Amino acid sequence: MNVSGQPYRTIWPAADGSSVEIIDQTQLPHAFAIARLTSLDDTAHAIRAMLVRGAPLIGATAAWGVWLALCRDATDSGLAHAHATLLATRPTAVNLRWALDRVRAHVGTLAPAARAGAARRLAVEICDEDVALNRGIATTGLPLIQAIAARKKPGERVNILTHCNAGWLATVDVGTATAPIYAAHDAGVPVHVWVDETRPRNQGASLTAWELLNHGVPHTVIADNAGGHLMQHGQVDLVIVGTDRTTANGDVCNKIGTYLKALAAHDTGVPFYVAAPSPSIDWTLRDGRREIPIEERPPREVTHLAGRLPDGTIATVALPPEGSPAANPAFDVTPARLVTGLITERGLCAANADALQKLFPER
Ligand code: MRU
């Protein structure tokens, strides 16, 4: 995607040949900053502290992290340490394990001297593949938006609600949930996006809004609790969200609050779609609510909020009274029965085991 007219991905190998650069997402939307990762520890920190976040980007970053680790220690124990360290950073997005297992399987059979180079080439491949998958999701999802536009009066906008950030910032490029939205906008379909602010980390207000503004897509930031009301009043034509892990049965784990949007959509008859690239499908699990590990993040993310003051400085303020405990489950599971369809790179698919199996017979 373009930032101030310059094309960017969210992660890329640095020109020095020995490090990786990322967009530091903790600085957005108030500053566009590039951070450098030079080691395994840098990479683990970037994922844990959410300088990079979003399931596909977490996986891609981990692949680069293995390369950085192997540049220093390419022994079997170095590889095992890198895999374990990165796997422990965030538990929910299955893309992390997917990428780490893939790199380990690929380089583990090679002589240590060949490992770092092979890991680097595979990290490049995983990044390029992510972009291609997301383009596939744009192709699958665009007709859904076009079909709604076709039922409307000419020029009447299609209202799409999204939760969290499943845009290009959550991936290497293009995005998942927003990919069909960008495609529709670029094709001249009048779209408007309701952006859930997405407490407590506010990925909607800070990242999705920034992306959409940057791309010129009409949008409105709303409090998380507003979605159900808008759906009841016919102001949402469809919901598209991303996923951190979708089970083989079609249960969808995504950012906390997604489930409530799915319930409201179900009650009001609004189609609820999930953009699900195949690396976010966990073929080993069936019951999302029981089996998917839900990340518990620090309570401080709930009790404190950072924002920009009129003089441009960034300040952090406390919300509840000092001493009130807070809890911070970061994801929830939407049961497959509430999901209208999965938008995959291979096509649209019902959220159930048979349909998923038909689309991905090799699994
Ligand atoms: O905690 P985050 O910001 O990593 O959570 C991100 C999400 O929940 C996204 O919706 C999900 O990873 C899909 S991104 C294409």
Side-chain angles (χ1 to χ4, degrees):
M1 285 290 180
N2 286 339
V3 180
S4 308
Q6 203 184 317
Y8 274 96
R9 284 184 171 188
T10 51
I11 188 164
W12 61 93
D16 66 7
S18 61
S19 61
V20 176
E21 289 181 327
I22 56 169
I23 297 172
D24 177 355
Q25 301 190 22
T26 60
Q27 309 279 321
L28 289 170
H30 304 303
F32 183 78
I34 307 296
R36 184 180 296 269
L37 311 178
T38 62
S39 65
L40 171 63
D41 287 349
D42 279 359
T43 312
H45 169 75
I47 297 173
R48 202 178 302 113
M50 295 174 65
L51 279 73
V52 289
R53 27 68 51 204
L57 180 55
I58 290 170
T61 306
W64 281 109
V66 177
W67 168 59
L68 291 172
L70 293 175
C71 288
R72 291 187 188 181
D73 180 359
T75 61
D76 283 357
S77 68
L79 178 59
H81 176 65
H83 186 283
T85 303
L86 291 162
L87 190 62
T89 51
R90 296 195 70 190
T92 301
V94 74
N95 308 59
L96 178 62
R97 189 186 73 202
W98 170 86
L100 287 170
D101 286 357
R102 184 167 162 186
V103 181
R104 183 176 59 183
H106 183 66
V107 304
T109 54
L110 304 175
R115 285 178 179 170
R120 189 182 196 284
R121 287 189 291 279
L122 186 52
V124 170
E125 196 179 307
I126 285 173
C127 286
D128 290 346
E129 225 179 78
D130 177 64
V131 177
L133 293 177
N134 299 338
R135 292 210 172 106
I137 282 175
T139 305
T140 303
L142 174 60
L144 294 172
I145 300 174
Q146 286 172 321
I148 293 170
R151 294 199 295 270
K152 291 190 172 246
K153 295 191 194 95
E156 208 182 326
R157 64 192 195 176
V158 177
N159 288 299
I160 304 161
L161 184 141
T162 193
H163 191 69
C164 194
N165 173 264
W168 71 270
L169 288 168
T171 65
V172 175
D173 201 356
V174 179
T176 63
T178 57
I181 300 174
Y182 287 127
H185 173 81
D186 293 348
V189 179
V191 290
H192 165 263
V193 184
W194 295 111
V195 179
D196 282 354
E197 62 176 347
T198 319
R199 286 278 294 143
R201 289 285 300 219
N202 298 304
Q203 290 95 329
S206 59
L207 303 178
T208 304
W210 181 81
E211 273 193 28
L212 295 174
L213 191 67
N214 197 51
H215 199 80
V217 180
H219 64 281
T220 307
V221 178
I222 51 173
D224 288 328
N225 296 331
H229 165 80
L230 294 172
M231 290 181 211
Q232 280 180 328
H233 289 269
Q235 294 187 63
V236 181
D237 293 302
L238 79 164
V239 178
I240 311 180
V241 298
T243 176
D244 288 84
R245 195 185 293 229
T246 292
T247 67
N249 279 6
D251 289 347
V252 171
C253 183
N254 191 49
K255 180 53 55 194
I256 193 79
T258 302
Y259 171 50
L260 291 177
K261 295 295 136 31
L263 282 172
H266 187 72
D267 189 51
T268 53
V270 172
F272 183 94
Y273 287 99
V274 177
S278 53
S280 61
I281 302 171
D282 187 339
W283 300 98
T284 69
L285 302 186
R286 302 194 90 75
D287 183 336
R289 189 173 63 82
R290 287 201 174 80
E291 295 178 306
I292 297 177
I294 300 295
E295 180 179 13
E296 277 286 338
R297 291 198 56 90
R300 193 181 158 83
E301 292 181 350
V302 175
T303 57
H304 289 69
L305 202 62
R308 193 180 56 187
L309 297 176
D311 70 0
T313 55
I314 304 297
T316 300
V317 297
L319 296 175
E322 219 179 304
S324 282
N328 190 8
F331 299 93
D332 60 25
V333 174
T334 297
R337 67 186 162 80
L338 300 179
V339 177
T340 309
L342 302 171
I343 303 171
T344 81
E345 72 272 14
R346 290 200 190 164
L348 193 63
C349 162
N352 64 53
D354 283 353
L356 274 165
Q357 194 66 49
K358 263 195 202 104
L359 209 53
F360 296 94
E362 74 277 18
R363 306 309 301 239

